[in-house]
Coordinates of all heavy atoms in Angstrom, one line a residue:
E210 N 47.0 27.1 144.4 CA 47.0 26.2 143.4 C 48.0 26.7 142.3 O 48.3 27.8 142.1 CB 45.7 26.0 142.7 CG 44.7 25.4 143.7 CD 43.3 25.1 143.0 OE1 43.1 25.6 141.9 OE2 42.5 24.4 143.6
R211 N 48.5 25.7 141.5 CA 49.4 26.0 140.4 C 48.6 26.8 139.3 O 47.4 26.4 139.1 CB 49.9 24.7 139.8 CG 51.1 24.9 138.8 CD 51.7 23.7 138.4 NE 52.3 22.9 139.5 CZ 53.1 21.8 139.3 NH1 53.3 21.4 138.1 NH2 53.6 21.2 140.4
E212 N 49.2 27.8 138.7 CA 48.5 28.6 137.7 C 49.4 28.8 136.5 O 50.7 28.8 136.6 CB 48.1 29.9 138.3 CG 49.3 30.8 138.7 CD 48.9 32.2 139.1 OE1 47.7 32.6 138.9 OE2 49.8 33.0 139.6
G213 N 48.8 28.8 135.4 CA 49.5 29.1 134.1 C 49.7 30.5 133.9 O 48.7 31.4 134.1
I214 N 50.9 31.0 133.6 CA 51.2 32.5 133.6 C 51.6 32.9 132.2 O 51.4 34.0 131.8 CB 52.1 33.0 134.6 CG1 53.5 32.3 134.4 CG2 51.6 32.8 136.0 CD1 54.6 32.8 135.2
S215 N 52.1 32.0 131.4 CA 52.7 32.4 130.1 C 52.9 31.2 129.2 O 53.0 30.1 129.7 CB 54.0 33.2 130.2 OG 54.4 33.7 129.0
C216 N 52.8 31.4 127.9 CA 53.2 30.3 127.0 C 53.6 30.9 125.7 O 53.4 32.0 125.3 CB 52.0 29.3 126.9 SG 50.6 29.9 126.0
I217 N 54.3 30.0 124.9 CA 54.7 30.4 123.5 C 54.3 29.2 122.6 O 54.6 28.0 122.9 CB 56.2 30.8 123.5 CG1 56.5 31.3 122.1 CG2 57.1 29.6 123.9 CD1 57.8 32.1 122.1
S218 N 53.7 29.5 121.5 CA 53.2 28.4 120.6 C 54.3 27.9 119.8 O 55.4 28.5 119.7 CB 52.1 29.0 119.8 OG 50.9 29.4 120.6
S219 N 54.1 26.8 119.1 CA 55.0 26.2 118.2 C 55.3 27.2 117.0 O 54.5 28.1 116.8 CB 54.6 24.9 117.7 OG 53.4 25.0 117.0
N220 N 56.3 26.9 116.3 CA 56.6 27.7 115.1 C 55.5 27.7 114.1 O 55.1 28.7 113.5 CB 57.9 27.3 114.5 CG 59.1 27.7 115.4 OD1 59.0 28.3 116.4 ND2 60.3 27.5 114.8
S221 N 54.9 26.5 113.9 CA 53.9 26.4 112.9 C 52.6 27.0 113.3 O 51.7 27.3 112.5 CB 53.6 24.9 112.5 OG 53.5 24.2 113.7
S222 N 52.5 27.3 114.6 CA 51.3 28.1 115.1 C 51.6 29.6 115.1 O 50.8 30.4 115.7 CB 51.0 27.6 116.5 OG 50.6 26.3 116.5
G223 N 52.8 29.9 114.6 CA 53.1 31.4 114.6 C 53.9 31.9 115.8 O 54.3 33.1 115.8
G224 N 54.2 31.0 116.7 CA 55.0 31.4 117.9 C 54.3 32.4 118.7 O 54.9 33.2 119.4
D225 N 52.9 32.4 118.7 CA 52.2 33.4 119.5 C 52.4 33.2 121.0 O 52.7 32.1 121.4 CB 50.7 33.2 119.2 CG 50.2 33.7 117.9 OD1 51.1 34.1 117.1 OD2 49.1 33.9 117.7
T226 N 52.4 34.3 121.7 CA 52.6 34.3 123.1 C 51.3 34.7 123.9 O 50.4 35.3 123.4 CB 53.7 35.3 123.5 OG1 53.4 36.5 123.0 CG2 55.0 34.8 122.9
Y227 N 51.3 34.3 125.2 CA 50.2 34.6 126.1 C 50.8 35.0 127.4 O 51.8 34.4 127.8 CB 49.3 33.3 126.2 CG 48.5 33.4 127.5 CD1 47.3 34.1 127.6 CD2 48.9 32.7 128.6 CE1 46.6 34.2 128.7 CE2 48.2 32.7 129.8 CZ 47.1 33.5 129.9 OH 46.3 33.5 131.1
Y228 N 50.1 35.9 128.1 CA 50.5 36.3 129.4 C 49.3 36.5 130.3 O 48.3 37.1 129.8 CB 51.3 37.7 129.4 CG 52.5 37.7 128.6 CD1 52.5 38.1 127.3 CD2 53.7 37.2 129.1 CE1 53.7 38.0 126.5 CE2 54.9 37.1 128.4 CZ 54.9 37.6 127.1 OH 56.0 37.6 126.3
K229 N 49.3 36.0 131.5 CA 48.3 36.2 132.4 C 48.3 37.7 132.8 O 49.4 38.4 132.8 CB 48.6 35.4 133.7 CG 47.5 35.4 134.8 CD 47.9 34.5 135.9 CE 46.9 34.6 137.0 NZ 45.6 34.1 136.7
D230 N 47.1 38.3 133.1 CA 47.1 39.7 133.3 C 48.0 40.2 134.4 O 48.6 41.3 134.2 CB 45.6 40.1 133.6 CG 44.7 40.1 132.4 OD1 45.2 40.1 131.3 OD2 43.5 40.2 132.6
S231 N 48.2 39.4 135.4 CA 49.0 39.9 136.5 C 50.4 40.1 136.2 O 51.2 40.7 136.9 CB 48.9 39.0 137.7 OG 49.3 37.6 137.3
I232 N 50.9 39.5 135.1 CA 52.3 39.7 134.7 C 52.6 40.5 133.4 O 53.7 40.7 133.0 CB 53.0 38.3 134.6 CG1 52.4 37.5 133.4 CG2 52.9 37.5 135.9 CD1 53.3 36.3 133.0
K233 N 51.5 40.8 132.8 CA 51.6 41.5 131.5 C 52.4 42.8 131.7 O 52.2 43.6 132.6 CB 50.2 41.9 130.9 CG 49.6 40.9 130.0 CD 48.3 41.3 129.5 CE 47.6 40.2 128.8 NZ 46.2 40.6 128.3
G234 N 53.3 43.1 130.8 CA 54.2 44.3 130.9 C 55.3 44.1 131.8 O 56.2 45.0 131.7
R235 N 55.4 43.0 132.5 CA 56.6 42.8 133.4 C 57.4 41.5 133.0 O 58.6 41.6 133.2 CB 56.1 42.6 134.9 CG 55.3 43.8 135.4 CD 55.0 43.7 136.9 NE 54.2 42.5 137.2 CZ 54.6 41.5 138.0 NH1 55.8 41.6 138.6 NH2 53.8 40.5 138.3
F236 N 56.7 40.6 132.5 CA 57.3 39.3 132.1 C 57.4 39.2 130.5 O 56.4 39.6 129.9 CB 56.6 38.1 132.7 CG 56.7 37.9 134.2 CD1 57.2 39.0 134.9 CD2 56.3 36.7 134.7 CE1 57.3 38.8 136.4 CE2 56.4 36.6 136.1 CZ 56.9 37.6 136.9
T237 N 58.4 38.6 130.0 CA 58.5 38.4 128.6 C 59.0 37.0 128.3 O 60.0 36.5 128.9 CB 59.5 39.4 128.0 OG1 59.1 40.6 128.2 CG2 59.5 39.1 126.5
I238 N 58.2 36.2 127.6 CA 58.6 34.9 127.2 C 59.3 34.9 125.8 O 58.9 35.6 124.9 CB 57.4 33.9 127.2 CG1 57.8 32.4 127.1 CG2 56.4 34.3 126.1 CD1 56.7 31.5 127.3

């Protein structure tokens, strides 16, 4: 199935980022 792995919030949300555990430390958004 399709899975979400990363995202970046809007500027007004602070531009926060998220990473799925399996890619943390290897991928950068």
Side-chain angles (χ1 to χ4, degrees):
E210 292 187 350
R211 192 174 298 189
E212 63 174 353
I214 60 170
S215 183
C216 67
I217 187 163
S218 297
S219 65
N220 287 6
S221 51
S222 299
D225 284 14
T226 58
Y227 157 80
Y228 300 96
K229 187 178 175 67
D230 284 348
S231 59
I232 68 166
K233 271 182 189 174
R235 300 189 297 122
F236 291 12
T237 304
I238 191 170

